[in-house]
Amino acid sequence: MTSAVTTDKSARPGYGQLLRTPGAIGFVLPGFAARLPFGMLTISILLLVQHTSGSYGSAGIVAAVTGVSMALSAPVMGKLTDRRGQSAVLVPVVLMHATAVSTLVALALLGAPVWALALAAVPAGASVPQVGPMVRARWAAKLEGSPLLPTAAAFESVTDEFTFVVGPVLATALCTGVHPAAGLITEAALTLAGGLVFAAQRATQPKAHAAPAGGEKHASALSFPGLRVLIVAFLGIGAVFGGMQVSLAAFSNEIGNPGANGLLYGVFAAGNMTAGIACGAIAWKIGPRRRLLLGYAGLTVAASVLWTAHSMILLGALGLVVGLCIAPALITGYTMIESLIPANARTEAFTWLTGAVAFGQATAVTLAGRLTDAHGSSYGFLVPMAGTVLALATLLALRSSLAPKAPSRIINSSAATPAAAPEVPAARVNERGVGHRVPVTVD
């Protein structure tokens, strides 16, 4: 058995080497263009519906329906992608999304009631293309057996967070400076164009896994207990994203500076992106399960003090700290999928995690919207605290489920038993099954 990628041991396995992987640029660039609109969707809905209805609660409901629809459809989309291939799923999905978002915009501008907007939000959310998981699945297929895999996970987290830096700022600028509907219109156009270009990159998409003969079904990724625990962790992370979006927007209005919303959220996301870059440059000496627990504990502490901030400077500083704490948990969780889930279910697994973030975000947007309408932005910040506390308790109670049951890297066929212990990161096991430290540095 040989690895999918042969790594030059004399080279530093950093971001530069990662991007020199054959065919990588061909899917990385269009993948970024196709997922940038994801960071615009929720905030664009919030700002448009709040403008037309005058209520953060109503805006939160519509945004929440979008998020829940996406969370429920994402695993189905992921399973179809594993079965039929990325391009076959992506093309009709982006066409449906552009149509659904256009309908939602039209209804909002015509003054439709909240129930009608919520109904239109269902297909808008269900058709959000799962480009991020598709890109991660391409990396996993190309880098199987390579120490570059954790670097790829870090790179993807940085890419995600860059979209969350640029997306909300761009959406806020469009909605407040051009037209309240400009954010959603731009989101739909970018999704359509970027999705079609990404779908055209067929050479690097993972092999489709057809249904086994004899009517046997693929095991769902959800059948693996480790994924279920990670889903809870990502629900808590989604609660941070959703609570921050609503509460920062409300806080900016309270201080009479609506444009500050994009700046504050940008600082929060910039902290996340910075930490993601650092995570990919560190040679970790502790296993991924322990890293996840430690990182999540830090996130919980940071999110628990947001409600105390009553000035823009303090809130910006606390938001930066929260952002710095999110990336380690996200990156580690995504990295663990490779060792917890078999190859024929990884896209589905990635979409479960993405969907969990969306569902947590949707729930948080609803709760934070109602709390903010009733009591002000400080109460909205209680939602990230509650979400992370509950998720951390679950992680601690069920942490044994996160230990890989078998090594996911190459083991010499002459070895009688697996040589890698559960807490040895997969990327630190060489061809003989002997654990070794591989420094990860930035080129």
Side-chain angles (χ1 to χ4, degrees), residues 213-315:
E216 182 184 354
K217 294 183 179 180
H218 282 300
S220 170
L222 198 59
S223 65
F224 296 89
L227 177 62
R228 298 197 293 269
V229 176
L230 289 176
I231 286 173
V232 175
F234 278 55
L235 283 169
I237 292 173
V240 176
F241 284 127
M244 293 286 281
Q245 285 183 340
V246 173
S247 302
L248 288 176
F251 176 85
S252 299
N253 282 335
E254 289 171 1
I255 64 174
N257 185 8
N261 175 39
L263 175 61
L264 289 171
Y265 196 86
V267 169
F268 157 69
N272 199 347
M273 184 173 65
T274 301
I277 294 172
C279 284
I282 294 174
W284 295 102
K285 296 182 180 180
I286 59 177
R289 180 173 57 172
R290 191 174 303 171
R291 292 205 308 270
L292 179 62
L293 293 174
L294 291 174
Y296 216 95
L299 173 62
T300 302
V301 172
S304 297
V305 297
L306 285 169
W307 66 274
T308 65
H310 298 290
S311 72
M312 184 173 171
I313 293 177
L314 180 57
L315 184 55

Side-chain angles (χ1 to χ4, degrees), residues 93-143:
V93 163
V94 296
L95 292 171
M96 183 188 303
H97 184 72
T99 302
V101 170
S102 299
T103 302
L104 178 59
V105 170
L107 288 173
L109 294 179
L110 290 172
V114 174
W115 67 264
L117 297 177
L119 190 63
V122 173
S127 60
V128 171
Q130 299 301 309
V131 178
M134 290 180 184
V135 173
R136 286 183 166 91
R138 293 191 187 212
W139 281 124
K142 273 195 163 291
L143 300 177

Side-chain angles (χ1 to χ4, degrees), residues 74-86 88-89 208 347-348:
V76 177
M77 198 180 300
K79 184 174 287 189
L80 286 173
T81 300
D82 283 325
R83 186 74 59 85
R84 299 180 182 177
Q86 294 185 358
V89 173
T347 304
E348 181 194 351

